[in-house]
Amino acid sequence: MPSWQEVAEAKRAQREALIPDAYKVAADSLPAASTDSVVDFPRTTGILSEREIEITETDDVSVLLKKLASGHYTAVEVLEAFIKRTCIAHQLVNPLTEIHFDDARKLAAELDAELKSTGKVRGPLHGLPMSVKDQFQIKGSDATIGYISYANKPSTADSVLVEVIKKAGAVPFVKTNLPQTIMYSESSNHLWGTTLNPHNRTLHPGGSSGGEGALVAMKGSPLGVGTDVGGSVRIPAALCGLFGLRPCSHRFPYEGAVNSLVGQITIPSVLGPLSRSLTGLTEFSKAVLAQEPWLLDPQTPSMPWNEDRFQQARTQKKLNIGVMWHDGAIKPSPPYERAIKEVLSALSDHDIVDFEAYKTNEAMEILVEAFIADGGKDISAAIAPLDEPLGPCLSGIGKPEYTGHQVWLANKRKLEFQKAYLDHWNATAKQTKDGRPIDILIVPGMAYTAIPPGNDIYVAYTGIFNLVDYPAVVLPITKVDPAVDGLAKRSGDFLSEDDEKWYKKWDAEKLVNAPVSVQIVGRRYEEEAVLGYAEQVWNAFAASKTK
Amino acid sequence: MPSWQEVAEAKRAQREALIPDAYKVAADSLPAASTDSVVDFPRTTGILSEREIEITETDDVSVLLKKLASGHYTAVEVLEAFIKRTCIAHQLVNPLTEIHFDDARKLAAELDAELKSTGKVRGPLHGLPMSVKDQFQIKGSDATIGYISYANKPSTADSVLVEVIKKAGAVPFVKTNLPQTIMYSESSNHLWGTTLNPHNRTLHPGGSSGGEGALVAMKGSPLGVGTDVGGSVRIPAALCGLFGLRPCSHRFPYEGAVNSLVGQITIPSVLGPLSRSLTGLTEFSKAVLAQEPWLLDPQTPSMPWNEDRFQQARTQKKLNIGVMWHDGAIKPSPPYERAIKEVLSALSDHDIVDFEAYKTNEAMEILVEAFIADGGKDISAAIAPLDEPLGPCLSGIGKPEYTGHQVWLANKRKLEFQKAYLDHWNATAKQTKDGRPIDILIVPGMAYTAIPPGNDIYVAYTGIFNLVDYPAVVLPITKVDPAVDGLAKRSGDFLSEDDEKWYKKWDAEKLVNAPVSVQIVGRRYEEEAVLGYAEQVWNAFAASKTK
């Protein structure tokens, strides 16, 4: 039997072989490792034509879809442009796992032919190249989720998500990297290596959907799909300067995605989009729900896209907005306060109230408890066949396995917390001028910006919304600027030892260019509302920046 | 410390004291125990006026609501009529646990005053007396769920369901009986005793919501609320000749209901209505969802009543209907085949196809596995304080406790089954004339009709739809008629030993008058559709009976 190193090496060689030489930059022309952003490097390589640069830099997914639907761009040329940019991105930040260029080219050609012959698009995502996290199965390639023991077992069918986006006209063309076990918020594993942050390659892109974060930020893909059980869509979105959506449990079809901690249902993992535009999230949500995924995924509730609610939210005159500046346990890095203030300065027409953090430490205990109940058996079984070394992960490895009754008691605690949090949210009615509770909550995107790989993690700013199961949209607001953020010193006002520990990692000079984001959080199963409200916030903010 | 017998005796004495003497029938005027129906006995007692008989025999809940809204009946008189009939019913079949006549009278008077002064109803259930299963908390009374150790701990707040129906104008006035542990499909416990079937008091009413089944069948309540984790709404509805709805997980608000197996989330228990009219189920569903219960219950998805889907379903011209005659493991008692044939004879305009049972035994293993994972610890803890004797129950008592990882694996098996069942349903597209899958599935309401208390149970005909989480409506079709059903003999064609065992319980003479029902099953989270389709089936069937 080959060693894990041999299997991994062979897989990486296969991956390398699928990248056309013509789309590779000569090693001596690659930028040196530094804190500099490499996001714009691909346009300087000469590999992309002017038109291909225009295509790949069309951040607004709605615009791209219109140009595909009108025939202004062909699906084939859009795909090839993104393939080129993805290949260059891969050399710089290592976001890819499995590559499906040829399948995608064939599909794009079919879509062009179909549009030409029928005059009609196949669906709302007609011709849009899309990347998906390695968990999603595409027929013919592996879905290793970073476990070397899962290699060389090609998928025999597409995951429902892949089936559904293809039905909607999208062109899945690559799968992307994630951490071993998926239970960590960096993106490194022994099979595919470590993904870096394009804005500052000394830093990680977040995780677990870090391959998506890095690839979409590099403009190698206009729209990617990640998964989120503790923040795994939102953390890479936040750390890579992207828009991201964490929907509620099962709203989008997870069926057929490979996962770790299989059967853990206390805190369900969900899938959500990452994009360089808010329209990317909305187009994705509408398109996926338009395919009636509940006919294919037994867990997806029969809830069509609610256009009325979306329109109501995006045009509602007066919002009640709660702001949680910090979670009561660990204050976010300094630029987050700056980011929230910048957002709020654009929202003066609305009623803004402070939202008190609710029992963050207890919430994190409940969250972690859900993940460790098997005593690490699931992960141990995955690494055992090839004796792969285990990296850091939020799991039960090394902890005692729960009993069945303890799992039930953990479920009970979780439900009690959900109820208490709902009451806490409803109680904001006492703070607002019109006596209605808040419509949305604005919170920091994360406790910290991107930091170097191999670090500790702290996921309470995102994990709390997995626990209570609320939808959340990440908006990219600003970047670390040492000239401003380097001056924001704290001393002696620490909430806890951990707060102090995390503050001490703060070094604006080293974290230069790291994106800084906020989350817009809404009520449970109101994805339409949170997307509509997020649009209002974003438009107000964007307008304030151009003043 | 008092013994469990003493506590139980005191509780029963309290209950007895809350029943006005004027509403009691003299012991020597009560009917003798026999197979005769006692449903019509209350109207012969002289306790109810002609008008009160008219009120309590208004089976159609929509009609009753209209007469309450118009002031044709006052809430006070409607309540008192049902209180009278409930008190008589209680003497006959023992359905009650906690009694709230005085609270209810006060609320009914307020509703009358409100309608008089404002000209407006409080909500869609204005003035409707309602019974609720003992699990639901009403401020001021116990919610023992039949555990004597839970006695004398009065609820300090209403369950969300109770809060919501009161907001909608309903008048909760009694709570109803259930089996100890709730995990059995009869309705007997050491605290409140045994509830009997009004159609034949030698038989049980089903369970676990058997108090509701018996009380609503006795016309003591126009609309009751039960819960269902394996059939506990549908079994008493079926065995008592009522309409009943099992909605999908969390569609209606369970928050604040007391339960056993707390924290068991593999197969969630749901709540649903029982009524003597299909309109009772629809009025309940619309009214509850109109109160936006998701603002109070963190598990209830934000899914308003979908009137469009309801109207579409109730007026759809051509239905594709699957019929599952038996579950492949145990054939239902003879009159079920007769009942289904009677229904189908009214549906000749539609496309009827046979639906093959799908892995019933495996489904039941998965269902039971969900309930026993704690090794019975939850139930053991409930009976321990007073050393109450344990009755029969579907639980982990006496079985080894699962480990955390085994619970996860059980969840995984359940999800795989759900997916396979969905594919199986979708595959009916190959059988239908128009190539669409079936819209609804018709299955027997239960494997057997009501049988004597203290029997075995078999819940696969209902439990399968808890496992896959599909909505189901029970329609009462006929009753056991020894002249017909006594002739339906089987010999040698048994599917299994259990099939033979259950068949041998069949004795039409002893089961005379026992109701026979079917379930109409729809797709997940399509309560509106299944109610609309059920209306079509019911109206066609009812019309065929009057021909």
Side-chain angles (χ1 to χ4, degrees):
Chain A
M1 195 163 80
S3 68
W4 65 262
Q5 292 93 336
E6 287 164 337
V7 176
E9 200 173 332
K11 281 289 291 178
R12 285 195 296 269
Q14 283 169 21
R15 176 179 63 173
E16 191 63 22
L18 289 168
I19 298 178
D21 286 338
Y23 298 170
K24 284 181 187 165
V25 180
D28 58 3
S29 299
L30 287 168
S34 79
T35 59
D36 293 343
S37 167
V38 294
V39 168
D40 290 329
F41 176 77
R43 72 200 317 273
T44 68
T45 57
I47 293 173
L48 291 98
S49 68
E50 281 301 314
R51 187 171 169 94
E52 286 168 337
I53 291 172
E54 177 193 285
I55 288 169
T56 51
E57 296 187 356
T58 306
D59 290 342
D60 187 324
V61 168
S62 292
V63 170
L64 201 50
L65 286 170
K66 279 198 195 86
K67 290 187 176 177
L68 279 157
S70 70
H72 179 84
Y73 296 145
T74 66
V76 164
E77 69 175 338
V78 168
L79 173 66
E80 206 62 31
F82 280 107
I83 286 177
K84 286 184 178 178
R85 200 149 185 151
T86 281
C87 290
I88 305 165
H90 187 65
Q91 281 190 275
L92 296 165
V93 295
N94 192 43
L96 302 184
T97 61
E98 305 289 339
I99 289 172
H100 282 263
F101 294 158
D102 284 345
D103 295 345
R105 286 179 180 123
K106 189 160 164 272
L107 177 54
E110 283 169 17
L111 289 164
D112 283 336
E114 187 171 318
L115 181 59
K116 200 171 173 185
S117 68
T118 68
K120 283 184 188 158
V121 295
R122 180 167 295 182
L125 301 177
H126 184 99
L128 190 74
M130 282 182 66
S131 48
V132 297
K133 191 177 184 175
D134 197 66
Q135 287 178 263
F136 297 104
Q137 300 194 65
I138 299 182
K139 192 178 168 181
S141 73
D142 291 344
T144 60
I145 61 171
Y147 288 131
I148 301 168
S149 70
Y150 287 17
N152 304 315
K153 293 163 185 163
S155 299
T156 54
D158 292 342
S159 292
V160 168
L161 182 272
V162 171
E163 185 177 348
V164 159
I165 60 174
K166 281 164 80 172
K167 208 171 138 206
V171 182
F173 73 114
V174 282
K175 306 212 308 183
T176 58
N177 207 22
L178 70 188
Q180 185 199 39
T181 77
I182 322 184
M183 297 305 293
Y184 212 65
S185 47
E186 299 189 10
S187 294
S188 185
N189 60 63
H190 301 298
L191 176 51
W192 302 116
T194 301
T195 304
L196 301 176
N197 194 310
H199 299 282
N200 175 337
R201 286 191 298 158
T202 69
L203 312 177
H204 70 62
S208 62
S209 312
E212 285 303 329
L215 181 64
V216 177
M218 285 297 301
K219 310 184 186 183
S221 166
L223 183 61
V225 187
T227 65
D228 191 318
V229 76
S232 285
V233 161
R234 289 163 292 155
I235 295 169
L239 271 47
C240 294
L242 301 174
F243 299 84
L245 169 65
R246 185 241 170 238
C248 295
S249 301
H250 314 303
R251 185 82 202 259
F252 300 140
Y254 211 98
E255 177 66 36
V258 178
N259 207 351
S260 63
L261 313 196
V262 175
Q264 184 286 107
I265 62 171
T266 305
I267 313 279
S269 177
V270 301
L271 70 87
L274 300 90
S275 184
R276 288 185 311 285
S277 63
L278 196 46
T279 60
L281 313 187
T282 307
E283 296 283 2
F284 174 85
S285 303
K286 289 164 77 162
V288 168
L289 296 177
Q291 311 315 310
E292 305 185 293
W294 44 87
L295 300 181
L296 299 170
D297 183 338
Q299 296 196 101
T300 299
S302 175
M303 295 175 81
W305 172 259
N306 187 336
E307 180 69 16
D308 290 347
R309 183 70 175 107
F310 176 62
Q311 293 298 342
Q312 184 278 321
R314 62 187 288 274
T315 58
Q316 186 178 319
K317 286 276 184 246
K318 186 115 187 169
L319 306 191
N320 289 347
I321 300 175
V323 179
M324 188 184 87
W325 296 92
H326 65 77
D327 71 1
I330 292 176
K331 281 195 182 173
S333 302
Y336 282 102
E337 187 174 312
R338 175 167 69 80
I340 292 178
K341 283 181 178 168
E342 285 184 27
V343 172
L344 293 186
S345 70
L347 298 173
S348 54
D349 292 345
H350 302 290
D351 188 6
I352 316 279
V353 301
D354 281 344
F355 182 92
E356 196 181 350
Y358 188 78
K359 298 187 179 175
T360 301
N361 290 336
E362 186 181 326
M364 287 310 98
E365 280 168 27
I366 295 170
L367 191 81
V368 169
E369 194 171 43
F371 301 151
I372 67 174
D374 76 333
K377 279 189 176 167
D378 177 274
I379 289 173
S380 299
I383 58 175
L386 291 175
D387 202 18
E388 295 166 55
L390 181 70
C393 57
L394 232 171
S395 84
I397 298 275
K399 300 188 182 78
E401 185 175 359
Y402 276 40
T403 68
H405 192 231
Q406 285 173 325
V407 172
W408 288 12
L409 293 177
N411 292 336
K412 174 173 181 273
R413 273 191 292 278
K414 183 228 168 186
L415 177 55
E416 286 168 354
F417 191 93
Q418 282 185 290
K419 172 59 174 165
Y421 200 91
L422 178 58
D423 292 344
H424 183 68
W425 179 295
N426 287 338
T428 57
K430 290 186 211 130
Q431 295 172 263
T432 60
K433 295 195 183 80
D434 64 6
R436 288 188 309 110
I438 54 171
D439 296 302
I440 50 169
L441 178 60
I442 297 180
V443 304
M446 184 65 175
Y448 44 89
T449 64
I451 49 177
N455 230 305
D456 295 331
I457 64 167
Y458 177 74
V459 299
Y461 281 89
T462 50
I464 183 90
F465 303 112
N466 296 86
L467 181 61
V468 295
D469 200 21
Y470 290 4
V473 167
V474 173
L475 301 180
I477 302 301
T478 184
K479 291 189 173 189
V480 172
D481 176 356
V484 184
D485 300 314
L487 305 172
K489 297 285 179 209
R490 292 172 65 191
S491 58
D493 63 338
F494 297 111
L495 300 168
S496 63
E497 278 181 29
D498 279 341
D499 186 28
E500 185 169 2
K501 182 192 84 176
W502 276 99
Y503 176 70
K504 285 185 173 159
K505 291 180 193 278
W506 174 244
D507 184 341
E509 294 292 343
K510 288 187 178 155
L511 306 177
V512 61
N513 292 323
V516 180
S517 306
V518 300
Q519 293 176 79
I520 309 294
V521 181
R523 282 188 185 268
R524 190 158 178 266
Y525 281 115
E526 295 228 320
E527 286 77 13
E528 294 86 343
V530 79
L531 285 166
Y533 291 134
E535 185 185 310
Q536 282 214 45
V537 172
W538 180 252
N539 287 346
F541 169 70
S544 76
K545 298 297 280 185
T546 56
K547 266 177 196 162
Chain B
M1 196 163 79
S3 68
W4 65 263
Q5 291 93 337
E6 288 165 335
V7 176
E9 200 172 332
K11 281 289 292 177
R12 286 195 296 270
Q14 282 169 22
R15 176 179 62 172
E16 190 63 22
L18 289 168
I19 298 178
D21 285 338
Y23 298 171
K24 284 180 187 166
V25 179
D28 58 3
S29 300
L30 287 169
S34 78
T35 59
D36 293 343
S37 167
V38 293
V39 168
D40 291 330
F41 175 77
R43 70 200 316 271
T44 68
T45 58
I47 292 173
L48 290 98
S49 68
E50 281 301 314
R51 186 170 169 96
E52 286 169 337
I53 291 172
E54 176 192 287
I55 288 169
T56 52
E57 296 187 358
T58 306
D59 290 341
D60 187 323
V61 169
S62 292
V63 170
L64 202 50
L65 287 170
K66 279 200 194 85
K67 290 187 174 175
L68 279 157
S70 69
H72 179 84
Y73 295 146
T74 66
V76 163
E77 70 174 335
V78 169
L79 174 66
E80 208 61 30
F82 280 106
I83 287 178
K84 285 183 178 178
R85 200 150 184 149
T86 280
C87 291
I88 305 164
H90 187 64
Q91 282 189 274
L92 296 166
V93 295
N94 192 43
L96 302 183
T97 61
E98 305 289 340
I99 289 172
H100 282 262
F101 294 159
D102 284 345
D103 296 346
R105 287 180 179 121
K106 190 163 163 267
L107 178 54
E110 283 169 17
L111 289 165
D112 284 336
E114 188 173 316
L115 181 59
K116 199 170 174 186
S117 68
T118 67
K120 284 183 188 158
V121 295
R122 181 168 293 183
L125 300 177
H126 184 99
L128 189 75
M130 280 182 68
S131 48
V132 297
K133 190 176 186 178
D134 197 67
Q135 286 178 263
F136 297 103
Q137 300 195 65
I138 299 182
K139 192 178 168 180
S141 73
D142 291 344
T144 60
I145 60 171
Y147 287 132
I148 301 168
S149 69
Y150 287 16
N152 304 314
K153 293 164 186 163
S155 298
T156 55
D158 292 343
S159 292
V160 168
L161 183 271
V162 172
E163 185 178 349
V164 159
I165 60 173
K166 281 165 80 172
K167 209 171 137 206
V171 182
F173 73 115
V174 283
K175 306 212 307 182
T176 58
N177 208 23
L178 69 189
Q180 186 199 37
T181 77
I182 321 184
M183 298 305 294
Y184 212 65
S185 46
E186 300 190 10
S187 294
S188 184
N189 60 64
H190 301 297
L191 177 51
W192 302 116
T194 299
T195 304
L196 300 176
N197 195 311
H199 298 282
N200 176 337
R201 287 192 298 160
T202 70
L203 312 178
H204 69 64
S208 64
S209 312
E212 285 303 329
L215 181 63
V216 177
M218 285 296 301
K219 310 185 186 185
S221 166
L223 183 61
V225 187
T227 65
D228 192 318
V229 77
S232 284
V233 162
R234 289 163 292 156
I235 295 169
L239 270 47
C240 294
L242 301 174
F243 299 84
L245 169 66
R246 184 242 170 234
C248 296
S249 300
H250 314 304
R251 183 84 201 259
F252 300 141
Y254 211 99
E255 176 66 36
V258 178
N259 208 350
S260 63
L261 314 198
V262 175
Q264 183 285 107
I265 63 172
T266 305
I267 312 279
S269 177
V270 301
L271 69 87
L274 299 90
S275 184
R276 287 185 310 287
S277 63
L278 196 48
T279 61
L281 314 187
T282 306
E283 296 282 1
F284 174 85
S285 302
K286 288 164 78 162
V288 167
L289 296 177
Q291 312 312 311
E292 303 184 294
W294 43 87
L295 301 180
L296 299 170
D297 183 337
Q299 294 196 104
T300 299
S302 175
M303 294 175 81
W305 171 261
N306 187 337
E307 180 68 16
D308 289 347
R309 183 70 175 107
F310 176 63
Q311 293 299 341
Q312 184 277 321
R314 63 188 286 275
T315 57
Q316 185 178 320
K317 285 277 182 244
K318 185 113 186 173
L319 306 192
N320 289 347
I321 300 175
V323 178
M324 189 184 86
W325 295 92
H326 66 77
D327 71 1
I330 292 176
K331 280 196 184 174
S333 301
Y336 283 101
E337 186 174 314
R338 175 168 66 81
I340 292 177
K341 283 181 177 168
E342 286 185 26
V343 172
L344 293 186
S345 72
L347 298 174
S348 53
D349 292 347
H350 303 289
D351 188 6
I352 316 279
V353 300
D354 281 343
F355 183 91
E356 195 182 350
Y358 188 78
K359 296 186 180 176
T360 300
N361 290 336
E362 185 182 326
M364 286 311 97
E365 280 168 28
I366 295 170
L367 191 82
V368 169
E369 193 172 44
F371 301 152
I372 66 174
D374 77 332
K377 279 189 175 165
D378 177 274
I379 289 172
S380 298
I383 59 175
L386 291 174
D387 201 18
E388 295 167 55
L390 180 70
C393 57
L394 232 170
S395 83
I397 299 275
K399 301 189 182 79
E401 186 175 359
Y402 275 41
T403 67
H405 192 231
Q406 285 173 325
V407 172
W408 289 10
L409 293 178
N411 292 336
K412 175 174 180 274
R413 272 191 293 277
K414 182 227 170 189
L415 177 56
E416 285 167 354
F417 191 92
Q418 282 185 291
K419 172 60 175 164
Y421 200 90
L422 177 57
D423 292 344
H424 183 67
W425 181 294
N426 288 338
T428 58
K430 289 185 214 131
Q431 296 172 263
T432 60
K433 294 195 184 80
D434 64 7
R436 289 187 312 108
I438 55 171
D439 296 303
I440 51 170
L441 178 60
I442 297 180
V443 304
M446 184 65 174
Y448 42 90
T449 65
I451 49 177
N455 231 304
D456 294 332
I457 64 169
Y458 177 73
V459 299
Y461 281 88
T462 50
I464 183 89
F465 303 111
N466 296 87
L467 181 62
V468 295
D469 200 20
Y470 290 4
V473 167
V474 173
L475 301 180
I477 302 302
T478 186
K479 292 190 172 188
V480 171
D481 177 355
V484 184
D485 301 314
L487 307 172
K489 299 284 179 211
R490 295 171 64 192
S491 57
D493 63 338
F494 298 111
L495 299 168
S496 62
E497 279 182 27
D498 280 342
D499 185 29
E500 184 169 3
K501 183 192 84 176
W502 277 100
Y503 176 72
K504 285 186 172 160
K505 292 179 192 278
W506 175 244
D507 183 342
E509 295 292 342
K510 289 186 178 157
L511 306 176
V512 61
N513 291 322
V516 181
S517 306
V518 300
Q519 294 177 76
I520 309 294
V521 182
R523 282 188 185 267
R524 192 159 177 263
Y525 281 115
E526 295 227 320
E527 285 77 12
E528 293 86 344
V530 79
L531 285 166
Y533 290 132
E535 185 185 311
Q536 282 215 47
V537 173
W538 180 252
N539 287 347
F541 169 70
S544 77
K545 297 297 279 185
T546 57
K547 265 177 199 163

